[in-house]
DNA sequence: ATTACTAAGTCACGAGTAA
DNA sequence: TTTACTCGTGACTTAGTAA
């Protein structure tokens, strides 16, 4: 930790402000040993071994934990009885909540860009019955026959790379008498401009043709330009979310 | 952390061995910002503010995280793009698993003691139909008409205090023509001796009469002395668990 | 055996500066 | 603006000792 400097300001987690993360790890160990349901008997050397530090350090960390009122201690001849206080438990819960947010929140990729021209090309393809039926079936709506194109800034182009890690809805390729039509991927998203937001929309990415990475083609049940009152050059925020499709 | 000394031995969590808990907290912050699904753009000063440390320290922590191969970084003019590596993610998952064990594992209190005489008094009471019916209904079995008594050592007497924090099965008081019989509480448990273990058993604690704290009265479907081949003075371990009863 | 104090050392800290 | 270097200070460290 190198400093009690952490004690000062208002860090993100008030938790560690009082004790530092090393102490928090020590508290976690006590909790793992059952210190939550009642007093547990521990020895500094036992804690020290499991934390891989000297017993002096273990002793001091427990002292600091006690000073911060995260544990109650009673030192006896052959060890000490430790109980985690409410404050200590809530510190642990705070950490727990953070980790839950990390692992249990569906992933999101946020992309900023601006509306750009070209309702053109996409319109023809998505209207084709071979695609349209899949949209209705797998996306749950019949898209407006046209795409909203969004040009991404440099940063968003980079962030876009994370999009491919998200679960998405596959659209199969198909063919008719004359030619074949390639598969595509639809990413669930919402489009926001100012305070207004519209969803569901989907970003459609043709699989084969290597797409212009700075361009997003968006389909939606309605004409987004009307729904969100968009003109070319307007800044929009596209939130790409984890889609549910088995 | 005050030392790269942690790097050496085999600490409980190999996670923090490589980087220390301060770095882990930094990694957590990156994950919270979405570094799991793809590159996120962060600045040292931004991280520094949220961690409540100087930007130099934030810079160093990110460097250490990169050195430990927990993140990939690309430093650009106005910040850096950070992706959490598989190693980094598994470090976070390790922590997450610890917290889940703390908060999602039913609490347990382990009590060591030795078998002591006195199948006597309890026998009469638990055989009374006013109690026996509740046992059958709420415990799910009809207890052998007698209790196994366990004398607790000094340490176990202390640890016993944590038992009252556990969820338990209430047994109501009742009365007949002649007298009233008080309520009690049944704690779900198992009894182990050597490698053998028996469950379900319940520790029965009469509510009113303030019980001898060094004595445990245990009821079970069968005669435990026979099932576990117990004699007076034998050492047994009683694991008291969270009971499910609404 | 414990916990914890003191002493001596090292690493991490923040400040300043460079690129 | 950024990131990250050098540098001096100081907190945390381990080791040894006391109770």
């Amino acid at each position: 930790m190198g400093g009690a400097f952490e004690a000062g300001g208002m860090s993100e987690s008030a938790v560690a402000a009082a004790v530092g993360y090393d102490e928090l790890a020590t508290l976690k160990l006590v909790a793992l040993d059952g210190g939550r349901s009642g007093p547990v008997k521990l020895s500094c050397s036992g804690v020290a071994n499991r934390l891989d530090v000297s017993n002096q350090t273990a002793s001091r960390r427990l002292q600091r934990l006690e000073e911060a009122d995260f544990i109650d201690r009673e030192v006896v001849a052959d060890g000490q009885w430790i109980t985690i206080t409410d404050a200590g438990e809530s510190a642990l819960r705070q950490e727990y909540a953070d980790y839950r947010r990390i692992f249990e929140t569906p992933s999101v990729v946020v992309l900023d860009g601006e509306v750009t021209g070209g309702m053109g090309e996409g319109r023809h393809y998505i209207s084709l019955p071979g695609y349209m039926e899949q949209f209705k079936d797998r996306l749950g709506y019949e898209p407006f026959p046209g795409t909203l194109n969004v040009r991404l800034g440099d940063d968003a182009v980079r962030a876009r790379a994370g999009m491919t890690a998200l679960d998405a809805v596959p659209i199969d390729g198909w063919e008719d008498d004359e030619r074949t039509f390639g598969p595509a991927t639809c990413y669930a998203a919402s489009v926001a401009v100012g305070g207004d937001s519209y969803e569901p929309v989907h970003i459609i990415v043709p699989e084969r043709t290597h797409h212009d990475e700075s361009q997003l083609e968006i389909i939606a049940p309605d004409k987004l330009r009307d729904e969100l009152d968009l003109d070319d050059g307007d800044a929009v925020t596209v939130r790409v979310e984890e889609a549910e499709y088995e």
Side-chain angles (χ1 to χ4, degrees), chain A:
Chain A
M1 308 290 331
F5 296 116
E6 299 205 30
M10 31 172 207
S11 78
E12 177 146 298
S13 60
V15 169
V19 291
Y21 287 101
D22 291 338
E23 282 75 23
L24 200 61
T26 310
L27 183 62
K28 192 186 76 176
L29 193 144
V30 175
L32 244 12
D33 267 22
R36 225 160 56 86
S37 38
V40 279
K41 194 175 188 179
L42 293 173
S43 80
C44 279
S45 45
V47 172
N49 283 332
R50 295 169 60 184
L51 248 28
D52 202 32
V53 295
S54 67
N55 12 3
Q56 296 89 327
T57 297
S59 169
R60 260 179 293 105
R61 292 210 184 147
L62 290 171
Q63 287 176 56
R64 283 196 280 255
L65 242 15
E66 183 179 31
E67 216 165 325
D69 202 40
F70 280 8
I71 60 171
D72 285 333
R73 290 197 309 157
E74 187 183 338
V75 177
V76 292
D78 58 341
Q80 48 195 297
W81 288 91
I82 301 184
T83 315
I84 296 179
T85 64
D86 289 346
E89 175 158 346
S90 83
L92 289 169
R93 277 198 186 279
Q94 173 66 52
E95 284 295 295
Y96 180 44
D98 282 345
Y99 282 102
R100 283 181 48 155
R101 262 177 62 203
I102 291 172
F103 289 110
E104 288 169 24
T105 299
S107 307
V108 171
V109 174
V110 179
L111 305 173
D112 289 317
E114 61 180 42
V115 174
T116 182
M119 299 282 284
E121 316 104 55
R123 172 176 214 135
H124 171 244
Y125 288 105
I126 65 175
S127 303
L128 293 172
Y131 286 130
M132 194 56 95
E133 278 170 27
Q134 293 185 63
F135 292 148
K136 279 162 70 175
D137 182 37
R138 303 182 183 179
L139 266 33
Y141 60 85
E142 181 168 340
F144 170 82
T147 61
L148 178 75
N149 288 18
V150 173
R151 170 162 298 280
L152 301 177
D154 287 351
D155 285 358
V157 170
R158 298 227 30 177
R160 186 195 206 278
M163 198 173 87
T164 57
L166 300 179
D167 289 337
V169 180
I171 300 293
D172 301 323
W174 54 284
E175 56 187 85
D176 66 6
D177 300 337
E178 297 167 17
R179 56 163 291 194
T180 64
F181 299 87
T185 306
C186 283
Y187 295 89
S190 65
V191 177
V193 53
D196 293 338
S197 170
Y198 185 97
E199 67 183 328
V201 310
H202 286 82
I203 298 164
I204 180 161
V205 183
E207 197 152 288
R208 201 152 20 159
T209 79
H210 77 298
H211 207 70
D212 177 4
E213 294 223 318
S214 70
Q215 199 86 359
L216 244 38
E217 286 192 279
I218 298 174
I219 60 177
D222 300 303
K223 187 176 183 183
L224 290 171
R225 290 182 106 95
D226 289 350
E227 292 294 324
L228 291 168
D229 195 25
L230 297 171
D231 288 310
D232 284 0
D234 285 359
V236 293
T237 297
V238 181
R239 285 176 63 91
V240 195
E241 281 146 28
E242 204 91 48
E244 295 133 28
Y245 184 79
E246 65 292 339

